[in-house]
Amino acid sequence: MYKVDLNCDMGENFGIYNLGQDEELMKYITSTNIACGYHAGDPMTMRKTVKLALQYGVAIGAHPGLPDMAGFGRRIMDISAEEIYGLVLYQIGALQAFAKAEGTSITHVKPHGALYQMANQNTAIAEAIAEAVYRIDGDVYLVGQSSSKLVKAGARAGLRTLNEVFADRNYEMDGSLTPRSHEQALILQSKYSTERVIRMVREHKVESRTGEEMNMRADTICVHGDSPDALEHVIQLSQALLEAGIEVVHPVS
């Protein structure tokens, strides 16, 4: 049987501002990436999300981002690899503390937003992130876009890695995600999205926005939890994967 992890970015509330449907989505995913207070999240949200993950048996991961709460961590910043090392180390440590307080530990690290894109394209930044993760815990997984510089840097650092694909995003012909500013960045049709995901898991292939066929290994699938129809989409996707003979499970299970 084919196997794949289903992950979702969560814990992205801040104070009185709520985003996403974390508790409902937890029932259908196998791993969660929890915001660590820089692009979103706060101490109460981090603790609550860790406890929810434990309640539903979902693997806990740190989701460090750039210090850009106003831009939700999605704006590129002029920042050195050394600074990124410190930012990532700090944020992983924060979530690790909440996990430890609940008697558990983190299983993976996945950068957020612009930091994720920078690491997928810039070797120095990718290596800074990989080093930060390895120095904290060399046993956790590092999650990066399929076949990216981040995944390769993680492997060189001695980390286990997960190649990530996106259920609801289009790809450019170079394998990068279509920028969110583009009108075709998001895939809104659940059936089409599901068919693409199943093909990526089974055949390691996907079609770019402009029609080119590309190799795309899928160890873990990301679904975004902040869209209005996110819950319905995740339910349909998890059911379709099972019907296609694909087991949804985190690698540490």
Side-chain angles (χ1 to χ4, degrees), residues 187-243:
I187 297 175
L188 303 176
Q189 302 86 5
S190 292
K191 185 175 184 297
Y192 176 56
S193 170
T194 299
E195 289 171 352
R196 281 165 59 91
V197 166
I198 290 172
R199 186 166 184 241
M200 283 190 277
V201 174
R202 283 180 163 174
E203 303 175 27
H204 298 169
K205 299 284 186 182
V206 70
E207 189 176 279
S208 73
R209 178 181 60 82
T210 49
E212 295 83 8
E213 188 158 285
M214 304 177 296
N215 295 323
M216 193 69 65
R217 177 174 170 176
D219 300 320
T220 183
I221 304 162
C222 178
V223 290
H224 290 101
D226 55 357
S227 60
D229 58 349
L231 180 58
E232 179 183 353
H233 179 57
V234 171
I235 292 172
Q236 291 179 7
L237 177 59
S238 59
Q239 184 61 39
L241 288 168
L242 291 175
E243 290 175 355

Side-chain angles (χ1 to χ4, degrees), residues 117-189:
Q117 297 300 332
M118 292 162 68
N120 287 332
Q121 299 167 9
N122 184 299
T123 298
I125 290 173
E127 290 178 343
I129 294 172
E131 183 182 0
V133 174
Y134 184 81
R135 285 179 178 268
I136 287 182
D137 187 347
D139 289 330
V140 304
Y141 286 88
L142 179 60
V143 181
Q145 189 170 314
S146 183
S147 303
S148 65
K149 293 182 186 296
L150 181 58
V151 168
K152 293 172 183 175
R156 288 196 300 271
L159 292 166
R160 295 177 294 175
T161 60
L162 293 175
N163 288 274
E164 182 178 47
V165 299
F166 291 80
D168 52 6
R169 294 291 301 276
N170 250 319
Y171 288 94
E172 296 300 291
M173 63 182 297
D174 63 356
S176 64
L177 292 174
T178 300
R180 283 182 174 270
S181 57
H182 195 285
E183 60 180 8
Q184 292 179 303
L186 300 178
I187 297 175
L188 303 176
Q189 302 86 5

Side-chain angles (χ1 to χ4, degrees), residues 90-124:
Y90 183 94
Q91 291 177 76
I92 297 172
L95 187 68
Q96 238 187 1
F98 284 102
K100 185 175 181 179
E102 299 300 328
T104 189
S105 59
I106 67 171
T107 63
H108 62 280
V109 175
K110 172 190 165 181
H112 165 80
L115 180 59
Y116 182 92
Q117 297 300 332
M118 292 162 68
N120 287 332
Q121 299 167 9
N122 184 299
T123 298

Side-chain angles (χ1 to χ4, degrees), residues 10-100:
M10 291 182 166
E12 295 179 325
N13 300 332
F14 183 79
I16 64 172
Y17 302 100
N18 294 313
L19 184 67
Q21 308 169 70
D22 288 2
E23 183 164 6
E24 289 303 310
L25 287 165
M26 283 279 190
K27 300 173 184 177
Y28 302 97
I29 63 173
T30 47
S31 65
T32 177
N33 320 304
I34 301 176
C36 303
Y38 269 39
H39 75 277
D42 56 41
M44 294 302 293
T45 298
M46 292 169 74
R47 183 181 181 216
K48 178 181 178 181
T49 312
V50 166
K51 289 169 75 72
L52 278 174
L54 279 173
Q55 179 182 340
Y56 290 102
V58 173
I60 296 166
H63 197 37
L66 295 174
D68 178 26
M69 194 166 285
F72 200 65
R74 288 176 175 163
R75 299 184 290 192
I76 299 294
M77 295 180 67
D78 183 8
I79 186 168
S80 70
E82 184 178 5
E83 289 175 283
I84 285 174
Y85 172 83
L87 290 171
V88 171
L89 204 69
Y90 183 94
Q91 291 177 76
I92 297 172
L95 187 68
Q96 238 187 1
F98 284 102
K100 185 175 181 179

